[in-house]
Amino acid sequence: MTETPTAPQRSELPPAWNPAEVEAGLYERWVERGYFTADATSDKPPFSIVLPPPNVNGSLHMGHALNHSIMDALSRRRRMQGYEVLWLPGTDHAGIATQTAVERSLAGEGKSRQDLGREKFVERVWEWREEVGGRILAQMRRLGDGVDWTRTRFTMDEGLSQAVQTIFKKLFDDGLIYRAERIINWCPRCQTALSDIEVDHSEDDGELISIRYGSGDNSIVVATTRAETMLGDTAVAVHPEDERYRHLIGTEVEVPLTGRYVPIVADEHVDPKFGTGAVKVTPAHDPNDFEIGQRHELPALTVMDGRGVITAHGPFQDMDRFEARPAVVAALREQGRIVAEKRPYQHSVGHCSRCDTVIEPRLSMQWWVKVAPLAEAASAAVRDGRTTIHPPELAKRYFDWVDNLNDWCISRQLWWGHRIPVWYGPNDKVMCVGPDDEPPGEGWVQDEDVLDTWFSSGLWPFSTLGWPTPTSDLAKFYPTSVLSTGYDILFFWVVRMMMFGLYAMDGKQPFDHVFLHGLIRDQYGKKMSKSRGNGIDPIDWMDTYGADATRFTLLRGANPGSDLAIAEEWAAGSRNFTTKLWNASRFALSNGATVQRPLPPRDELTDADRWILDLLDQLVSDVDGQFESFQFAKLSEALYHFTWGEFCDWYVELAKVQLAEGGARAEATQSVLGHVLEVVLRLLHPLTPFITETLWTTLTGGESLVIADWPKPTGVERDEVAAGRIEGLKKLVTEIRRFRNDQGLKPAQKVAGKVRGACCVDLTGQVAAVRSLTRMTEPGDEFSVTVSLDVGLPAGTVKVELDLSGTVDVVAERKRLAKDLAVAEKERAQCEGKLGNAAFLDKAPAEVVAKIQTRLAAANAEIERIHARLDTLPQDSGQQS
């Protein structure tokens, strides 16, 4: 850590803060000086975060910007606190997304991956990755991410590939990986299994067709949204306690169009209140039906291939699934089998997140992880406190998921990714090959599939630190300190990392704390998406307002676990905040603010000095506590209100009065002014690193705020007397300013005035400041009281007398007030008209009536205010008062 220097070499600050001229050069200077490079041999306490790896083909979106701002704030604060900080960056190979992008590129050349063959296609993907893979990393630099670029990882680099192969073999040898035929999400366009997170669900318009199976008393009606799958029905199921069908259980019924007879089985999964209470069972094409089929030992008939084409013999063979659906319905209608048709029928439909194709549940031979023992360990680690989830209310959601996990399908029918390290040989032999094993020889063939992307990213907290090799990084920085991510991937990624980390690292949790933030939404609370056209590019905000304003906007809304609504005007507001800080700093520097000497003794300071120092001390404590509990919105608000309100709007103005006194008073003020500004800059640095670095190095002459010490509370007892006096001053000044505004005075307009009764409320020492802050000049011999104001304070009343002679154009002021009065009276009349209309009151919602009542009260108050102001003006319209 570097101490504040004793003889700062100051440079001139430009008139305005221009982020575009400063940010890039400042960031590169930090990187070149090695501030973000972690030292695994250091004796400092460790603090580590692994960056949730963005897709290698991706670009920075607002969700990234939020999470990166959070992680950077945590890392920068810990670095200033004296920790050895590792924030490790990297990217994910994003199997299906990347393969889809490269295939799309090939299609533009009139080629397919099959034209190239697997080896050449994979080479093409690596080339493409080199071209686009650095885009999001460059954008992270724009945001100011203080990551250790010397440790950048990629989920398919050599070290991580070794880790994937190692844990696969370990799981395989322990009987926790197996191959089986199960129902999976299948994309007919991408030709691969999909994880649940790769499926987007939407409410689509479809059809609900009710079909009669069998005939006579033994017939039964089922309803389906996918009529074409009836070609693969192997049963009809009813609830065992449904009296309507009890006599049919154990009998058989004919499946229309097929000539096949299937059993009617009793299964508690069936909801007797839904539809007819009877469901068709197609084990090869529906996950729930598959489970029913397993319980009742039903055959699974596959009637559709991987392209979504019907394979069942008959008139529908070779039809696409969406062609077959109306054809099947037409054939059923012709036979009189259709009992009811509902169109449109809105229901949830899964789509491939990459190509938007409707996914197809499909029975398929895949590789699976047996998750029960892994999930049990992941549950225990949170329950016993090894890992803490923030906010705590989301822990229940974690348990609801992890305690009910199904086995995980980890194989994907792709060419880009970690190829499954299993080989098949003669006589049905199977061999799992580890990283140190030689692949088997002639006659052996490696499995064609690759692993789900979440498999390799599930190893991220320890594979990036060198596992399975026992590295110094692993010893120093594992378990990692914090995982920060959106609550939407709590199940899909966080749980997998917990399972793999505990399994591979002998029960050591992958992270001590999990902080879950919400999702970014637009100002109306709508989810951002390309289709809605409401997305915001963080790069645009950074170009317009700067990285600091972008970060501060996001952090001010980052309440744990809650979604965050944003709008451009809020970024503009954050830019105004940086401007306010810049201008206050320029004032301080131009007026001799110093930080090179200790503060004067408390008894030599003014009430204003002690008040602001005490507030600063409380701010340091509050921000510390809020950082520890991940309350980024609260700490941002605290910093915003102290900096803008208490410091800039009040203390800086009070300091002007004290500086004007000169001598010892001015020197003490320079010390306090510099001290408060310096501490504020240190507190703000994790949130707004660029402007604070520029201001702090100019103020102190120090090397860098990145490696400066984090502020600590002084522990000095708060001066309640000084606080009471300044709060009284603030109320008095606020009331005078409001009164001046009501009198039609411009903010900078000076008016002669007197303050009476200050001694009675212990504000004698603040009168000079009150006069300065309210533009009140000393009264001369011709002073005449034209208006007066009584201000009630806890200790008594202060009377303020003003002489407005010659300051107000009475004619113009009466004309302005008359115009305002007409508007207010019109508003009152409209509100009274509505509230006096019985028909309106009978029909209008209560909240509408309440809103009109509020408007009426406001109009009456405005009319009263205007009349009071008119009463203070002379009646002679030609006279100046």
Side-chain angles (χ1 to χ4, degrees):
M1 294 289 170
T2 56
E3 298 297 329
T4 301
T6 57
Q9 300 297 314
R10 292 186 175 173
S11 58
E12 188 78 15
L13 280 178
W17 168 239
N18 190 339
E21 294 179 357
V22 177
E23 291 174 349
L26 201 53
Y27 185 84
E28 292 309 317
R29 196 175 311 134
W30 291 333
V31 174
E32 289 166 6
R33 291 178 177 177
Y35 294 152
F36 306 142
T37 304
D39 180 4
T41 66
S42 165
D43 59 0
K44 297 177 182 177
F47 178 83
S48 56
I49 296 180
V50 289
L51 178 82
N55 287 355
V56 69
N57 64 325
S59 57
L60 198 72
H61 57 61
M62 274 299 181
H64 289 134
L66 168 62
N67 197 29
H68 289 214
S69 298
I70 289 169
M71 289 184 283
D72 195 43
L74 291 170
S75 300
R76 286 179 183 270
R77 172 174 173 263
R78 285 297 191 216
R79 189 178 289 110
M80 295 173 74
Q81 287 181 313
Y83 286 76
E84 191 62 46
V85 173
L86 170 62
W87 183 15
L88 191 147
T91 51
D92 190 284
H93 66 279
I96 191 169
T98 300
Q99 177 158 318
T100 300
V102 176
E103 286 191 89
R104 193 179 298 121
S105 175
L106 283 173
E109 304 170 15
K111 299 178 182 177
S112 68
R113 62 179 165 122
Q114 286 76 16
D115 293 332
L116 270 65
R118 184 169 193 146
E119 185 176 341
K120 292 293 184 183
F121 176 77
V122 170
E123 288 178 6
R124 180 69 175 262
V125 180
W126 277 105
E127 292 170 3
W128 183 86
R129 180 251 178 184
E130 291 302 316
E131 293 174 11
V132 305
R135 177 175 54 194
I136 195 165
L137 300 180
Q139 292 171 336
M140 288 164 55
R141 300 171 97 91
R142 284 286 310 274
L143 192 63
D145 286 6
V147 297
D148 185 346
W149 294 110
T150 69
R151 287 174 165 87
T152 305
R153 303 305 299 268
F154 177 54
T155 50
M156 283 188 64
D157 67 29
E158 184 178 353
L160 269 65
S161 295
Q162 183 186 28
V164 167
Q165 213 171 340
T166 299
I167 201 163
F168 186 98
K169 181 166 175 54
K170 180 174 171 60
L171 289 162
F172 183 90
D173 292 344
D174 287 348
L176 296 175
I177 280 184
Y178 64 94
R179 194 167 184 243
E181 197 172 36
R182 298 271 186 87
I183 289 282
I184 45 86
N185 301 311
W186 180 265
C187 176
R189 184 256 169 241
C190 297
Q191 291 284 288
T192 184
L194 302 176
S195 66
D196 289 338
I197 201 171
E198 292 167 325
V199 177
D200 293 333
H201 290 272
S202 60
E203 292 297 316
D204 293 0
D205 285 340
E207 59 184 11
L208 183 66
I209 307 297
S210 297
I211 309 165
R212 184 177 300 280
Y213 284 28
S215 59
D217 293 338
N218 291 332
S219 68
I220 192 165
V221 176
V222 300
T224 181
T225 58
R226 300 162 67 218
E228 71 281 4
T229 62
M230 67 171 294
L231 302 173
D233 285 357
T234 58
V236 171
V238 297
H239 194 276
E241 296 179 5
D242 193 331
E243 292 295 334
R244 294 171 294 174
Y245 305 118
R246 189 183 293 274
H247 67 289
L248 294 177
I249 295 172
T251 66
E252 290 188 334
V253 67
E254 183 180 7
V255 179
L257 307 181
T258 69
R260 288 185 294 103
Y261 282 81
V262 298
I264 297 176
V265 299
D267 196 281
E268 292 187 351
H269 171 77
V270 178
D271 181 1
K273 296 179 182 178
F274 178 77
T276 64
V279 297
K280 56 190 285 301
V281 182
T282 320
H285 294 280
D286 183 274
N288 293 323
D289 292 4
F290 177 79
E291 296 298 329
I292 293 175
Q294 292 287 296
R295 287 193 288 272
H296 298 276
E297 299 182 345
L298 300 173
L301 300 182
T302 299
V303 295
M304 200 181 305
D305 66 13
R307 296 170 298 139
V309 173
I310 301 299
T311 57
H313 292 297
F316 313 108
Q317 189 171 5
D318 296 330
M319 282 187 180
D320 177 82
R321 54 185 172 154
F322 296 123
E323 296 172 343
R325 184 171 300 170
V328 167
V329 173
L332 290 167
R333 190 182 297 113
E334 187 176 339
Q335 292 188 4
R337 293 286 178 179
I338 303 295
V339 175
E341 300 178 60
K342 185 176 181 180
R343 296 187 185 89
Y345 176 73
Q346 199 171 70
H347 61 128
S348 179
V349 177
H351 296 255
C352 174
S353 62
R354 304 304 172 190
C355 66
D356 202 39
T357 301
V358 174
I359 65 106
E360 192 65 41
R362 182 168 185 253
L363 188 62
S364 179
M365 182 67 74
Q366 302 286 344
W367 285 95
W368 304 80
V369 171
K370 188 182 296 183
V371 299
L374 304 175
E376 185 179 349
S379 178
V382 174
R383 284 192 161 95
D384 65 24
R386 279 172 285 165
T387 295
T388 304
I389 293 177
H390 307 266
E393 56 266 24
L394 287 184
K396 180 182 183 301
R397 194 181 297 186
Y398 173 87
F399 293 129
D400 287 345
W401 183 263
V402 78
D403 293 342
N404 296 284
L405 272 181
N406 295 318
D407 285 358
W408 170 21
C409 175
I410 57 172
S411 47
R412 299 289 179 268
Q413 290 65 55
L414 304 172
W415 286 355
W416 173 244
H418 294 282
R419 195 163 173 181
I420 288 177
V422 171
W423 295 70
Y424 306 105
N427 302 319
D428 297 327
K429 290 182 180 178
V430 177
M431 178 184 293
C432 181
V433 176
D436 300 323
D437 300 332
E438 286 292 329
E442 189 175 346
W444 289 77
V445 178
Q446 187 174 3
D447 196 297
E448 292 288 326
D449 291 350
V450 300
L451 287 164
D452 178 11
T453 298
W454 295 101
F455 190 94
S456 52
S457 59
L459 315 181
W460 192 250
F462 53 95
S463 64
T464 52
L465 298 175
W467 187 90
T469 303
T471 63
S472 56
D473 277 1
L474 202 59
K476 178 77 173 179
F477 297 113
Y478 188 93
T480 65
S481 307
V482 178
L483 171 73
S484 174
T485 191
Y487 64 70
D488 56 324
I489 58 172
L490 172 63
F491 319 127
F492 305 108
W493 187 46
V494 178
V495 168
R496 283 159 168 71
M497 287 190 291
M498 287 290 287
M499 292 192 302
F500 280 169
L502 293 160
Y503 173 73
M505 299 300 294
D506 299 322
K508 288 185 180 178
Q509 69 280 8
F511 12 75
D512 298 331
H513 298 273
V514 175
F515 172 68
L516 299 167
H517 59 74
L519 307 181
I520 300 284
R521 298 184 181 274
D522 69 13
Q523 60 185 313
Y524 306 109
K526 302 285 187 183
K527 184 178 179 181
M528 288 189 175
S529 68
K530 291 180 181 178
S531 60
R532 285 195 178 98
N534 62 347
I536 300 174
D537 187 341
I539 302 300
D540 290 343
W541 273 17
M542 285 189 270
D543 288 342
T544 306
Y545 305 110
D548 290 325
T550 300
R551 293 165 58 119
F552 197 67
T553 301
L554 296 170
L555 290 167
R556 281 186 76 186
N559 287 301
S562 299
D563 288 351
L564 165 61
I566 60 172
E568 187 152 356
E569 53 263 37
W570 301 334
S574 295
R575 188 265 318 276
N576 294 343
F577 174 68
T578 62
T579 299
K580 187 84 169 179
L581 178 63
W582 184 266
N583 291 339
S585 300
R586 290 188 76 230
F587 166 81
L589 287 164
S590 64
N591 284 276
T594 58
V595 291
Q596 74 269 26
R597 60 173 177 261
L599 290 173
R602 295 269 292 188
D603 58 4
E604 295 179 13
L605 298 177
T606 66
D607 287 342
D609 295 335
R610 292 194 293 274
W611 164 77
I612 196 67
L613 289 172
D614 291 345
L615 285 183
L616 180 68
D617 217 34
Q618 185 62 52
L619 179 69
V620 172
S621 295
D622 291 346
V623 169
D624 261 344
Q626 289 154 354
F627 255 117
E628 293 299 326
S629 57
F630 302 95
Q631 294 287 349
F632 297 100
K634 289 183 179 179
L635 70 89
S636 299
E637 282 298 304
L639 286 165
Y640 177 89
H641 288 294
F642 177 89
T643 304
W644 189 303
E646 311 298 2
F647 181 61
C648 295
D649 281 354
W650 287 105
Y651 184 73
V652 167
E653 295 302 313
L654 293 169
K656 291 176 182 178
V657 180
Q658 297 178 180
L659 289 167
E661 294 184 31
R665 174 72 75 232
E667 288 185 9
T669 302
Q670 289 168 335
S671 293
V672 174
L673 187 61
H675 173 78
V676 175
L677 177 59
E678 194 269 341
V679 173
V680 165
L681 292 173
R682 282 191 279 160
L683 290 172
L684 279 168
H685 178 71
L687 285 65
T688 56
F690 293 105
I691 190 172
T692 51
E693 173 82 342
T694 303
L695 293 173
W696 187 86
T697 53
T698 303
L699 175 68
T700 68
E703 179 186 344
S704 175
L705 190 47
V706 177
I707 53 173
D709 290 333
W710 181 252
K712 296 179 181 177
T714 64
V716 174
E717 186 177 353
R718 175 184 169 97
D719 188 332
E720 297 294 349
V721 173
R725 288 171 180 157
I726 298 302
E727 290 305 318
L729 175 148
K730 288 169 63 179
K731 182 177 181 182
L732 180 57
V733 168
T734 299
E735 291 300 320
I736 296 173
R737 286 173 172 171
R738 184 180 294 118
F739 184 62
R740 281 171 52 95
N741 181 65
D742 288 345
Q743 302 304 312
L745 296 173
K746 296 178 180 178
Q749 191 172 357
K750 294 183 178 181
V751 178
K754 294 181 179 179
V755 178
R756 300 187 183 278
C759 59
C760 301
V761 293
D762 196 21
L763 286 183
T764 304
Q766 311 302 327
V767 171
V770 171
R771 300 182 68 86
S772 175
L773 269 61
T774 58
R775 305 292 190 270
M776 194 185 302
T777 62
E778 290 289 344
D781 294 339
E782 298 180 356
F783 179 81
S784 174
V785 179
T786 59
V787 293
S788 63
L789 168 71
D790 291 335
V791 181
L793 299 174
T797 300
V798 175
K799 180 179 287 294
V800 179
E801 300 172 337
L802 300 178
D803 182 357
L804 303 186
S805 302
T807 63
V808 178
D809 184 335
V810 175
V811 174
E813 181 65 1
R814 280 191 173 277
K815 187 175 181 179
R816 182 183 71 83
L817 290 170
K819 185 177 179 180
D820 291 347
L821 182 62
V823 171
E825 288 176 337
K826 182 179 179 181
E827 170 75 353
R828 178 172 67 180
Q830 289 177 341
C831 292
E832 287 178 340
K834 288 184 178 180
L835 294 174
N837 185 334
F840 170 79
L841 293 176
D842 287 341
K843 296 178 181 178
E847 60 269 20
V848 172
V849 174
K851 188 177 292 186
I852 294 173
Q853 290 171 335
T854 301
R855 286 170 49 193
L856 177 60
N860 283 327
E862 179 68 355
I863 291 168
E864 184 179 344
R865 183 193 70 80
I866 294 171
H867 278 302
R869 169 64 179 138
L870 286 168
D871 289 343
T872 67
L873 294 174
Q875 297 302 312
D876 183 357
S877 62
Q879 180 184 354
Q880 296 289 310
S881 173

